[in-house]
PDB file of all heavy atoms in Angstrom:
ATOM      1  N   GLY A  15      30.159 -33.465  25.057  1.00 98.00           N
ATOM      2  CA  GLY A  15      28.720 -33.361  24.910  1.00 98.00           C
ATOM      3  C   GLY A  15      28.282 -32.439  23.796  1.00 98.00           C
ATOM      4  O   GLY A  15      27.112 -32.478  23.396  1.00 98.00           O
ATOM      5  N   ASP A  16      29.181 -31.623  23.287  1.00 98.00           N
ATOM      6  CA  ASP A  16      28.854 -30.695  22.207  1.00 98.00           C
ATOM      7  C   ASP A  16      28.793 -31.406  20.867  1.00 98.00           C
ATOM      8  O   ASP A  16      29.127 -32.589  20.745  1.00 98.00           O
ATOM      9  CB  ASP A  16      29.881 -29.573  22.147  1.00 98.00           C
ATOM     10  CG  ASP A  16      29.732 -28.569  23.264  1.00 98.00           C
ATOM     11  OD1 ASP A  16      28.747 -28.645  24.017  1.00 98.00           O
ATOM     12  OD2 ASP A  16      30.611 -27.693  23.387  1.00 98.00           O
ATOM     13  N   SER A  17      28.394 -30.654  19.856  1.00 98.00           N
ATOM     14  CA  SER A  17      28.295 -31.166  18.495  1.00 98.00           C
ATOM     15  C   SER A  17      29.104 -30.314  17.540  1.00 98.00           C
ATOM     16  O   SER A  17      29.313 -29.119  17.772  1.00 98.00           O
ATOM     17  CB  SER A  17      26.837 -31.190  18.024  1.00 98.00           C
ATOM     18  OG  SER A  17      26.046 -32.051  18.813  1.00 98.00           O
ATOM     19  N   LEU A  18      29.557 -30.933  16.467  1.00 98.00           N
ATOM     20  CA  LEU A  18      30.249 -30.253  15.387  1.00 98.00           C
ATOM     21  C   LEU A  18      29.817 -30.871  14.068  1.00 98.00           C
ATOM     22  O   LEU A  18      29.479 -32.055  14.018  1.00 98.00           O
ATOM     23  CB  LEU A  18      31.764 -30.389  15.509  1.00 98.00           C
ATOM     24  CG  LEU A  18      32.530 -29.463  16.444  1.00 98.00           C
ATOM     25  CD1 LEU A  18      34.004 -29.878  16.456  1.00 98.00           C
ATOM     26  CD2 LEU A  18      32.389 -28.015  16.022  1.00 98.00           C
ATOM     27  N   ARG A  19      29.843 -30.068  13.028  1.00 98.00           N
ATOM     28  CA  ARG A  19      29.635 -30.583  11.690  1.00 98.00           C
ATOM     29  C   ARG A  19      30.842 -30.240  10.840  1.00 98.00           C
ATOM     30  O   ARG A  19      31.139 -29.068  10.602  1.00 98.00           O
ATOM     31  CB  ARG A  19      28.369 -30.017  11.036  1.00 98.00           C
ATOM     32  CG  ARG A  19      28.045 -30.714   9.710  1.00 98.00           C
ATOM     33  CD  ARG A  19      26.819 -30.157   9.024  1.00 98.00           C
ATOM     34  NE  ARG A  19      27.046 -28.840   8.449  1.00 98.00           N
ATOM     35  CZ  ARG A  19      26.270 -28.284   7.526  1.00 98.00           C
ATOM     36  NH1 ARG A  19      25.198 -28.933   7.091  1.00 98.00           N
ATOM     37  NH2 ARG A  19      26.548 -27.065   7.078  1.00 98.00           N
ATOM     38  N   LEU A  20      31.536 -31.262  10.390  1.00 98.00           N
ATOM     39  CA  LEU A  20      32.666 -31.086   9.506  1.00 98.00           C
ATOM     40  C   LEU A  20      32.196 -31.078   8.062  1.00 98.00           C
ATOM     41  O   LEU A  20      31.243 -31.770   7.707  1.00 98.00           O
ATOM     42  CB  LEU A  20      33.688 -32.201   9.694  1.00 98.00           C
ATOM     43  CG  LEU A  20      34.217 -32.421  11.112  1.00 98.00           C
ATOM     44  CD1 LEU A  20      35.279 -33.514  11.106  1.00 98.00           C
ATOM     45  CD2 LEU A  20      34.769 -31.131  11.697  1.00 98.00           C
ATOM     46  N   SER A  21      32.876 -30.296   7.244  1.00 98.00           N
ATOM     47  CA  SER A  21      32.576 -30.231   5.826  1.00 98.00           C
ATOM     48  C   SER A  21      33.821 -30.548   5.026  1.00 98.00           C
ATOM     49  O   SER A  21      34.933 -30.241   5.439  1.00 98.00           O
ATOM     50  CB  SER A  21      32.065 -28.841   5.434  1.00 98.00           C
ATOM     51  OG  SER A  21      30.870 -28.522   6.104  1.00 98.00           O
ATOM     52  N   CYS A  22      33.621 -31.156   3.887  1.00 98.00           N
ATOM     53  CA  CYS A  22      34.703 -31.441   2.957  1.00 98.00           C
ATOM     54  C   CYS A  22      34.265 -30.974   1.582  1.00 98.00           C
ATOM     55  O   CYS A  22      33.362 -31.570   0.981  1.00 98.00           O
ATOM     56  CB  CYS A  22      35.036 -32.934   2.945  1.00 98.00           C
ATOM     57  SG  CYS A  22      36.236 -33.422   1.689  1.00 98.00           S
ATOM     58  N   ALA A  23      34.882 -29.915   1.110  1.00 98.00           N
ATOM     59  CA  ALA A  23      34.585 -29.382  -0.213  1.00 98.00           C
ATOM     60  C   ALA A  23      35.504 -30.033  -1.228  1.00 98.00           C
ATOM     61  O   ALA A  23      36.722 -30.000  -1.084  1.00 98.00           O
ATOM     62  CB  ALA A  23      34.761 -27.873  -0.227  1.00 98.00           C
ATOM     63  N   ALA A  24      34.925 -30.620  -2.253  1.00 97.00           N
ATOM     64  CA  ALA A  24      35.677 -31.379  -3.245  1.00 97.00           C
ATOM     65  C   ALA A  24      35.661 -30.687  -4.593  1.00 97.00           C
ATOM     66  O   ALA A  24      34.592 -30.376  -5.126  1.00 97.00           O
ATOM     67  CB  ALA A  24      35.106 -32.787  -3.392  1.00 97.00           C
ATOM     68  N   SER A  25      36.834 -30.450  -5.131  1.00 95.00           N
ATOM     69  CA  SER A  25      36.949 -29.901  -6.476  1.00 95.00           C
ATOM     70  C   SER A  25      37.098 -31.062  -7.448  1.00 95.00           C
ATOM     71  O   SER A  25      38.180 -31.335  -7.972  1.00 95.00           O
ATOM     72  CB  SER A  25      38.123 -28.934  -6.578  1.00 95.00           C
ATOM     73  OG  SER A  25      39.341 -29.582  -6.251  1.00 95.00           O
ATOM     74  N   ILE A  26      36.002 -31.754  -7.658  1.00 90.00           N
ATOM     75  CA  ILE A  26      35.940 -32.919  -8.539  1.00 90.00           C
ATOM     76  C   ILE A  26      34.821 -32.695  -9.537  1.00 90.00           C
ATOM     77  O   ILE A  26      33.678 -32.452  -9.137  1.00 90.00           O
ATOM     78  CB  ILE A  26      35.684 -34.218  -7.747  1.00 90.00           C
ATOM     79  CG1 ILE A  26      36.728 -34.398  -6.649  1.00 90.00           C
ATOM     80  CG2 ILE A  26      35.668 -35.414  -8.687  1.00 90.00           C
ATOM     81  CD1 ILE A  26      36.480 -35.595  -5.766  1.00 90.00           C
ATOM     82  N   ARG A  27      35.146 -32.815 -10.802  1.00 90.00           N
ATOM     83  CA  ARG A  27      34.149 -32.577 -11.834  1.00 90.00           C
ATOM     84  C   ARG A  27      32.977 -33.544 -11.723  1.00 90.00           C
ATOM     85  O   ARG A  27      31.815 -33.138 -11.852  1.00 90.00           O
ATOM     86  CB  ARG A  27      34.777 -32.679 -13.222  1.00 90.00           C
ATOM     87  CG  ARG A  27      33.785 -32.475 -14.354  1.00 90.00           C
ATOM     88  CD  ARG A  27      34.420 -32.672 -15.712  1.00 90.00           C
ATOM     89  NE  ARG A  27      35.452 -31.686 -15.977  1.00 90.00           N
ATOM     90  CZ  ARG A  27      36.134 -31.612 -17.107  1.00 90.00           C
ATOM     91  NH1 ARG A  27      35.885 -32.481 -18.091  1.00 90.00           N
ATOM     92  NH2 ARG A  27      37.066 -30.682 -17.252  1.00 90.00           N
ATOM     93  N   THR A  28      33.295 -34.802 -11.482  1.00 93.00           N
ATOM     94  CA  THR A  28      32.265 -35.825 -11.374  1.00 93.00           C
ATOM     95  C   THR A  28      32.145 -36.289  -9.930  1.00 93.00           C
ATOM     96  O   THR A  28      32.249 -37.481  -9.635  1.00 93.00           O
ATOM     97  CB  THR A  28      32.587 -37.003 -12.297  1.00 93.00           C
ATOM     98  OG1 THR A  28      33.895 -37.511 -11.984  1.00 93.00           O
ATOM     99  CG2 THR A  28      32.551 -36.567 -13.748  1.00 93.00           C
ATOM    100  N   PHE A  29      31.894 -35.358  -9.040  1.00 94.00           N
ATOM    101  CA  PHE A  29      31.837 -35.645  -7.614  1.00 94.00           C
ATOM    102  C   PHE A  29      30.839 -36.745  -7.291  1.00 94.00           C
ATOM    103  O   PHE A  29      31.090 -37.599  -6.440  1.00 94.00           O
ATOM    104  CB  PHE A  29      31.488 -34.375  -6.840  1.00 94.00           C
ATOM    105  CG  PHE A  29      31.276 -34.595  -5.374  1.00 94.00           C
ATOM    106  CD1 PHE A  29      32.353 -34.799  -4.529  1.00 94.00           C
ATOM    107  CD2 PHE A  29      30.001 -34.603  -4.834  1.00 94.00           C
ATOM    108  CE1 PHE A  29      32.166 -35.001  -3.172  1.00 94.00           C
ATOM    109  CE2 PHE A  29      29.799 -34.802  -3.475  1.00 94.00           C
ATOM    110  CZ  PHE A  29      30.890 -35.005  -2.640  1.00 94.00           C
ATOM    111  N   SER A  30      29.712 -36.737  -7.966  1.00 94.00           N
ATOM    112  CA  SER A  30      28.664 -37.703  -7.669  1.00 94.00           C
ATOM    113  C   SER A  30      29.076 -39.138  -7.964  1.00 94.00           C
ATOM    114  O   SER A  30      28.436 -40.073  -7.482  1.00 94.00           O
ATOM    115  CB  SER A  30      27.388 -37.369  -8.448  1.00 94.00           C
ATOM    116  OG  SER A  30      27.618 -37.427  -9.843  1.00 94.00           O
ATOM    117  N   SER A  31      30.141 -39.322  -8.731  1.00 94.00           N
ATOM    118  CA  SER A  31      30.605 -40.658  -9.065  1.00 94.00           C
ATOM    119  C   SER A  31      31.658 -41.182  -8.084  1.00 94.00           C
ATOM    120  O   SER A  31      32.127 -42.306  -8.242  1.00 94.00           O
ATOM    121  CB  SER A  31      31.177 -40.688 -10.480  1.00 94.00           C
ATOM    122  OG  SER A  31      32.376 -39.942 -10.561  1.00 94.00           O
ATOM    123  N   TYR A  32      32.010 -40.386  -7.094  1.00 96.00           N
ATOM    124  CA  TYR A  32      33.039 -40.768  -6.137  1.00 96.00           C
ATOM    125  C   TYR A  32      32.441 -41.264  -4.832  1.00 96.00           C
ATOM    126  O   TYR A  32      31.434 -40.732  -4.348  1.00 96.00           O
ATOM    127  CB  TYR A  32      33.970 -39.594  -5.839  1.00 96.00           C
ATOM    128  CG  TYR A  32      35.039 -39.400  -6.883  1.00 96.00           C
ATOM    129  CD1 TYR A  32      34.737 -38.849  -8.121  1.00 96.00           C
ATOM    130  CD2 TYR A  32      36.353 -39.776  -6.628  1.00 96.00           C
ATOM    131  CE1 TYR A  32      35.716 -38.686  -9.084  1.00 96.00           C
ATOM    132  CE2 TYR A  32      37.336 -39.603  -7.582  1.00 96.00           C
ATOM    133  CZ  TYR A  32      37.015 -39.055  -8.807  1.00 96.00           C
ATOM    134  OH  TYR A  32      37.995 -38.884  -9.758  1.00 96.00           O
ATOM    135  N   ASN A  33      33.093 -42.264  -4.281  1.00 97.00           N
ATOM    136  CA  ASN A  33      32.807 -42.700  -2.930  1.00 97.00           C
ATOM    137  C   ASN A  33      33.641 -41.862  -1.972  1.00 97.00           C
ATOM    138  O   ASN A  33      34.831 -41.666  -2.183  1.00 97.00           O
ATOM    139  CB  ASN A  33      33.144 -44.180  -2.765  1.00 97.00           C
ATOM    140  CG  ASN A  33      32.354 -45.056  -3.711  1.00 97.00           C
ATOM    141  OD1 ASN A  33      31.152 -45.221  -3.554  1.00 97.00           O
ATOM    142  ND2 ASN A  33      33.033 -45.628  -4.702  1.00 97.00           N
ATOM    143  N   MET A  34      33.015 -41.384  -0.913  1.00 98.00           N
ATOM    144  CA  MET A  34      33.662 -40.477   0.013  1.00 98.00           C
ATOM    145  C   MET A  34      33.737 -41.094   1.408  1.00 98.00           C
ATOM    146  O   MET A  34      32.927 -41.946   1.774  1.00 98.00           O
ATOM    147  CB  MET A  34      32.908 -39.150   0.083  1.00 98.00           C
ATOM    148  CG  MET A  34      32.683 -38.488  -1.270  1.00 98.00           C
ATOM    149  SD  MET A  34      34.229 -38.004  -2.077  1.00 98.00           S
ATOM    150  CE  MET A  34      34.861 -36.791  -0.909  1.00 98.00           C
ATOM    151  N   ALA A  35      34.696 -40.619   2.187  1.00 98.00           N
ATOM    152  CA  ALA A  35      34.872 -41.161   3.526  1.00 98.00           C
ATOM    153  C   ALA A  35      35.536 -40.149   4.435  1.00 98.00           C
ATOM    154  O   ALA A  35      36.154 -39.181   3.984  1.00 98.00           O
ATOM    155  CB  ALA A  35      35.699 -42.448   3.487  1.00 98.00           C
ATOM    156  N   TRP A  36      35.389 -40.405   5.725  1.00 98.00           N
ATOM    157  CA  TRP A  36      36.099 -39.659   6.758  1.00 98.00           C
ATOM    158  C   TRP A  36      36.972 -40.622   7.548  1.00 98.00           C
ATOM    159  O   TRP A  36      36.540 -41.726   7.906  1.00 98.00           O
ATOM    160  CB  TRP A  36      35.136 -38.964   7.724  1.00 98.00           C
ATOM    161  CG  TRP A  36      34.418 -37.779   7.146  1.00 98.00           C
ATOM    162  CD1 TRP A  36      33.185 -37.750   6.595  1.00 98.00           C
ATOM    163  CD2 TRP A  36      34.911 -36.432   7.091  1.00 98.00           C
ATOM    164  NE1 TRP A  36      32.871 -36.480   6.197  1.00 98.00           N
ATOM    165  CE2 TRP A  36      33.909 -35.647   6.486  1.00 98.00           C
ATOM    166  CE3 TRP A  36      36.099 -35.810   7.497  1.00 98.00           C
ATOM    167  CZ2 TRP A  36      34.057 -34.274   6.270  1.00 98.00           C
ATOM    168  CZ3 TRP A  36      36.252 -34.452   7.281  1.00 98.00           C
ATOM    169  CH2 TRP A  36      35.236 -33.700   6.680  1.00 98.00           C
ATOM    170  N   PHE A  37      38.190 -40.191   7.812  1.00 98.00           N
ATOM    171  CA  PHE A  37      39.113 -40.891   8.679  1.00 98.00           C
ATOM    172  C   PHE A  37      39.569 -39.923   9.763  1.00 98.00           C
ATOM    173  O   PHE A  37      39.400 -38.715   9.642  1.00 98.00           O
ATOM    174  CB  PHE A  37      40.332 -41.402   7.911  1.00 98.00           C
ATOM    175  CG  PHE A  37      40.035 -42.523   6.958  1.00 98.00           C
ATOM    176  CD1 PHE A  37      39.403 -42.283   5.752  1.00 98.00           C
ATOM    177  CD2 PHE A  37      40.404 -43.826   7.267  1.00 98.00           C
ATOM    178  CE1 PHE A  37      39.133 -43.313   4.863  1.00 98.00           C
ATOM    179  CE2 PHE A  37      40.147 -44.868   6.391  1.00 98.00           C
ATOM    180  CZ  PHE A  37      39.505 -44.607   5.193  1.00 98.00           C
ATOM    181  N   ARG A  38      40.164 -40.451  10.806  1.00 98.00           N
ATOM    182  CA  ARG A  38      40.719 -39.587  11.842  1.00 98.00           C
ATOM    183  C   ARG A  38      41.997 -40.198  12.395  1.00 98.00           C
ATOM    184  O   ARG A  38      42.206 -41.405  12.349  1.00 98.00           O
ATOM    185  CB  ARG A  38      39.719 -39.341  12.971  1.00 98.00           C
ATOM    186  CG  ARG A  38      39.391 -40.570  13.814  1.00 98.00           C
ATOM    187  CD  ARG A  38      38.313 -40.235  14.838  1.00 98.00           C
ATOM    188  NE  ARG A  38      38.004 -41.364  15.698  1.00 98.00           N
ATOM    189  CZ  ARG A  38      37.040 -41.362  16.617  1.00 98.00           C
ATOM    190  NH1 ARG A  38      36.292 -40.274  16.794  1.00 98.00           N
ATOM    191  NH2 ARG A  38      36.829 -42.446  17.359  1.00 98.00           N
ATOM    192  N   GLN A  39      42.837 -39.333  12.922  1.00 98.00           N
ATOM    193  CA  GLN A  39      44.088 -39.781  13.513  1.00 98.00           C
ATOM    194  C   GLN A  39      44.355 -38.980  14.776  1.00 98.00           C
ATOM    195  O   GLN A  39      44.535 -37.766  14.726  1.00 98.00           O
ATOM    196  CB  GLN A  39      45.245 -39.629  12.532  1.00 98.00           C
ATOM    197  CG  GLN A  39      46.550 -40.219  13.038  1.00 98.00           C
ATOM    198  CD  GLN A  39      47.597 -40.330  11.954  1.00 98.00           C
ATOM    199  OE1 GLN A  39      47.527 -39.632  10.939  1.00 98.00           O
ATOM    200  NE2 GLN A  39      48.560 -41.210  12.147  1.00 98.00           N
ATOM    201  N   ALA A  40      44.373 -39.668  15.891  1.00 97.00           N
ATOM    202  CA  ALA A  40      44.681 -39.064  17.175  1.00 97.00           C
ATOM    203  C   ALA A  40      46.179 -39.114  17.415  1.00 97.00           C
ATOM    204  O   ALA A  40      46.885 -39.919  16.805  1.00 97.00           O
ATOM    205  CB  ALA A  40      43.931 -39.783  18.292  1.00 97.00           C
ATOM    206  N   PRO A  41      46.689 -38.272  18.304  1.00 92.00           N
ATOM    207  CA  PRO A  41      48.116 -38.294  18.604  1.00 92.00           C
ATOM    208  C   PRO A  41      48.587 -39.679  19.031  1.00 92.00           C
ATOM    209  O   PRO A  41      47.943 -40.344  19.844  1.00 92.00           O
ATOM    210  CB  PRO A  41      48.257 -37.291  19.746  1.00 92.00           C
ATOM    211  CG  PRO A  41      47.117 -36.342  19.542  1.00 92.00           C
ATOM    212  CD  PRO A  41      45.988 -37.202  19.040  1.00 92.00           C
ATOM    213  N   GLU A  42      49.675 -40.116  18.452  1.00 93.00           N
ATOM    214  CA  GLU A  42      50.301 -41.394  18.779  1.00 93.00           C
ATOM    215  C   GLU A  42      49.411 -42.594  18.467  1.00 93.00           C
ATOM    216  O   GLU A  42      49.600 -43.674  19.020  1.00 93.00           O
ATOM    217  CB  GLU A  42      50.736 -41.424  20.246  1.00 93.00           C
ATOM    218  CG  GLU A  42      51.713 -40.318  20.615  1.00 93.00           C
ATOM    219  CD  GLU A  42      52.157 -40.391  22.051  1.00 93.00           C
ATOM    220  OE1 GLU A  42      51.574 -41.160  22.834  1.00 93.00           O
ATOM    221  OE2 GLU A  42      53.114 -39.676  22.397  1.00 93.00           O
ATOM    222  N   LYS A  43      48.450 -42.414  17.583  1.00 96.00           N
ATOM    223  CA  LYS A  43      47.594 -43.507  17.156  1.00 96.00           C
ATOM    224  C   LYS A  43      47.584 -43.583  15.639  1.00 96.00           C
ATOM    225  O   LYS A  43      47.894 -42.619  14.946  1.00 96.00           O
ATOM    226  CB  LYS A  43      46.166 -43.329  17.675  1.00 96.00           C
ATOM    227  CG  LYS A  43      46.028 -43.416  19.179  1.00 96.00           C
ATOM    228  CD  LYS A  43      44.583 -43.280  19.613  1.00 96.00           C
ATOM    229  CE  LYS A  43      43.736 -44.427  19.099  1.00 96.00           C
ATOM    230  NZ  LYS A  43      42.315 -44.343  19.568  1.00 96.00           N
ATOM    231  N   GLU A  44      47.207 -44.741  15.123  1.00 97.00           N
ATOM    232  CA  GLU A  44      47.108 -44.923  13.690  1.00 97.00           C
ATOM    233  C   GLU A  44      45.842 -44.265  13.153  1.00 97.00           C
ATOM    234  O   GLU A  44      44.862 -44.089  13.876  1.00 97.00           O
ATOM    235  CB  GLU A  44      47.105 -46.412  13.345  1.00 97.00           C
ATOM    236  CG  GLU A  44      48.381 -47.139  13.717  1.00 97.00           C
ATOM    237  CD  GLU A  44      48.332 -48.603  13.348  1.00 97.00           C
ATOM    238  OE1 GLU A  44      47.257 -49.091  12.951  1.00 97.00           O
ATOM    239  OE2 GLU A  44      49.370 -49.268  13.446  1.00 97.00           O
ATOM    240  N   ARG A  45      45.886 -43.905  11.896  1.00 97.00           N
ATOM    241  CA  ARG A  45      44.708 -43.361  11.259  1.00 97.00           C
ATOM    242  C   ARG A  45      43.631 -44.437  11.194  1.00 97.00           C
ATOM    243  O   ARG A  45      43.908 -45.585  10.832  1.00 97.00           O
ATOM    244  CB  ARG A  45      45.047 -42.855   9.866  1.00 97.00           C
ATOM    245  CG  ARG A  45      43.900 -42.147   9.167  1.00 97.00           C
ATOM    246  CD  ARG A  45      44.366 -41.475   7.877  1.00 97.00           C
ATOM    247  NE  ARG A  45      45.374 -40.461   8.137  1.00 97.00           N
ATOM    248  CZ  ARG A  45      45.877 -39.660   7.209  1.00 97.00           C
ATOM    249  NH1 ARG A  45      45.453 -39.756   5.946  1.00 97.00           N
ATOM    250  NH2 ARG A  45      46.805 -38.771   7.526  1.00 97.00           N
ATOM    251  N   GLU A  46      42.403 -44.073  11.538  1.00 97.00           N
ATOM    252  CA  GLU A  46      41.328 -45.036  11.575  1.00 97.00           C
ATOM    253  C   GLU A  46      40.128 -44.566  10.774  1.00 97.00           C
ATOM    254  O   GLU A  46      39.869 -43.368  10.643  1.00 97.00           O
ATOM    255  CB  GLU A  46      40.898 -45.328  13.022  1.00 97.00           C
ATOM    256  CG  GLU A  46      40.278 -44.144  13.741  1.00 97.00           C
ATOM    257  CD  GLU A  46      39.783 -44.496  15.128  1.00 97.00           C
ATOM    258  OE1 GLU A  46      39.769 -45.685  15.484  1.00 97.00           O
ATOM    259  OE2 GLU A  46      39.404 -43.556  15.869  1.00 97.00           O
ATOM    260  N   PHE A  47      39.396 -45.527  10.269  1.00 98.00           N
ATOM    261  CA  PHE A  47      38.191 -45.255   9.510  1.00 98.00           C
ATOM    262  C   PHE A  47      37.093 -44.747  10.425  1.00 98.00           C
ATOM    263  O   PHE A  47      36.903 -45.248  11.530  1.00 98.00           O
ATOM    264  CB  PHE A  47      37.742 -46.538   8.808  1.00 98.00           C
ATOM    265  CG  PHE A  47      36.377 -46.459   8.201  1.00 98.00           C
ATOM    266  CD1 PHE A  47      36.176 -45.836   6.981  1.00 98.00           C
ATOM    267  CD2 PHE A  47      35.286 -47.019   8.849  1.00 98.00           C
ATOM    268  CE1 PHE A  47      34.918 -45.769   6.412  1.00 98.00           C
ATOM    269  CE2 PHE A  47      34.026 -46.960   8.290  1.00 98.00           C
ATOM    270  CZ  PHE A  47      33.841 -46.327   7.064  1.00 98.00           C
ATOM    271  N   VAL A  48      36.357 -43.752   9.962  1.00 98.00           N
ATOM    272  CA  VAL A  48      35.253 -43.192  10.729  1.00 98.00           C
ATOM    273  C   VAL A  48      33.914 -43.488  10.062  1.00 98.00           C
ATOM    274  O   VAL A  48      33.012 -44.049  10.681  1.00 98.00           O
ATOM    275  CB  VAL A  48      35.408 -41.674  10.918  1.00 98.00           C
ATOM    276  CG1 VAL A  48      34.189 -41.092  11.631  1.00 98.00           C
ATOM    277  CG2 VAL A  48      36.682 -41.369  11.702  1.00 98.00           C
ATOM    278  N   ALA A  49      33.785 -43.100   8.808  1.00 98.00           N
ATOM    279  CA  ALA A  49      32.518 -43.278   8.106  1.00 98.00           C
ATOM    280  C   ALA A  49      32.740 -43.156   6.612  1.00 98.00           C
ATOM    281  O   ALA A  49      33.707 -42.548   6.163  1.00 98.00           O
ATOM    282  CB  ALA A  49      31.483 -42.248   8.571  1.00 98.00           C
ATOM    283  N   ALA A  50      31.826 -43.730   5.845  1.00 98.00           N
ATOM    284  CA  ALA A  50      31.905 -43.658   4.389  1.00 98.00           C
ATOM    285  C   ALA A  50      30.515 -43.546   3.801  1.00 98.00           C
ATOM    286  O   ALA A  50      29.531 -43.998   4.399  1.00 98.00           O
ATOM    287  CB  ALA A  50      32.615 -44.894   3.827  1.00 98.00           C
ATOM    288  N   ILE A  51      30.452 -42.950   2.633  1.00 98.00           N
ATOM    289  CA  ILE A  51      29.192 -42.841   1.907  1.00 98.00           C
ATOM    290  C   ILE A  51      29.463 -43.096   0.434  1.00 98.00           C
ATOM    291  O   ILE A  51      30.393 -42.540  -0.151  1.00 98.00           O
ATOM    292  CB  ILE A  51      28.524 -41.468   2.137  1.00 98.00           C
ATOM    293  CG1 ILE A  51      27.162 -41.414   1.453  1.00 98.00           C
ATOM    294  CG2 ILE A  51      29.436 -40.330   1.686  1.00 98.00           C
ATOM    295  CD1 ILE A  51      26.309 -40.232   1.909  1.00 98.00           C
ATOM    296  N   SER A  52      28.668 -43.959  -0.155  1.00 96.00           N
ATOM    297  CA  SER A  52      28.872 -44.331  -1.544  1.00 96.00           C
ATOM    298  C   SER A  52      28.256 -43.310  -2.481  1.00 96.00           C
ATOM    299  O   SER A  52      27.551 -42.388  -2.072  1.00 96.00           O
ATOM    300  CB  SER A  52      28.273 -45.714  -1.809  1.00 96.00           C
ATOM    301  OG  SER A  52      26.856 -45.631  -1.865  1.00 96.00           O
ATOM    302  N   ARG A  53      28.501 -43.509  -3.753  1.00 94.00           N
ATOM    303  CA  ARG A  53      27.936 -42.618  -4.756  1.00 94.00           C
ATOM    304  C   ARG A  53      26.419 -42.690  -4.797  1.00 94.00           C
ATOM    305  O   ARG A  53      25.765 -41.749  -5.261  1.00 94.00           O
ATOM    306  CB  ARG A  53      28.519 -42.937  -6.124  1.00 94.00           C
ATOM    307  CG  ARG A  53      28.093 -44.285  -6.683  1.00 94.00           C
ATOM    308  CD  ARG A  53      28.935 -44.671  -7.875  1.00 94.00           C
ATOM    309  NE  ARG A  53      30.282 -45.034  -7.458  1.00 94.00           N
ATOM    310  CZ  ARG A  53      31.281 -45.248  -8.294  1.00 94.00           C
ATOM    311  NH1 ARG A  53      31.100 -45.110  -9.605  1.00 94.00           N
ATOM    312  NH2 ARG A  53      32.469 -45.584  -7.830  1.00 94.00           N
ATOM    313  N   THR A  54      25.864 -43.783  -4.306  1.00 92.00           N
ATOM    314  CA  THR A  54      24.423 -43.955  -4.281  1.00 92.00           C
ATOM    315  C   THR A  54      23.799 -43.586  -2.947  1.00 92.00           C
ATOM    316  O   THR A  54      22.584 -43.678  -2.790  1.00 92.00           O
ATOM    317  CB  THR A  54      24.046 -45.404  -4.626  1.00 92.00           C
ATOM    318  OG1 THR A  54      24.654 -46.295  -3.695  1.00 92.00           O
ATOM    319  CG2 THR A  54      24.521 -45.748  -6.034  1.00 92.00           C
ATOM    320  N   GLY A  55      24.618 -43.183  -1.975  1.00 95.00           N
ATOM    321  CA  GLY A  55      24.096 -42.744  -0.702  1.00 95.00           C
ATOM    322  C   GLY A  55      24.121 -43.765   0.408  1.00 95.00           C
ATOM    323  O   GLY A  55      23.684 -43.465   1.528  1.00 95.00           O
TER     324      GLY A  55
END
């Protein structure tokens, strides 16, 4: 029931030109897609 905010700090010169995403991997499970955001939002 609680909330968390994860952050990802990127050392990329042209960060705004990159598409970004979050994935997750639970124990004994495959890595799965969570969310993505394009360079345009």
Side-chain angles (χ1 to χ4, degrees):
D16 286 352
S17 298
L18 278 176
R19 188 181 72 162
L20 305 183
S21 298
C22 173
S25 59
I26 305 176
R27 179 184 296 182
T28 56
F29 174 75
S30 62
S31 68
Y32 279 75
N33 300 290
M34 306 296 297
W36 288 96
F37 291 76
R38 68 184 182 185
Q39 186 168 22
E42 302 182 349
K43 294 182 64 177
E44 297 180 352
R45 185 171 299 185
E46 66 176 352
F47 169 80
V48 176
I51 184 166
S52 75
R53 68 193 72 189
T54 59

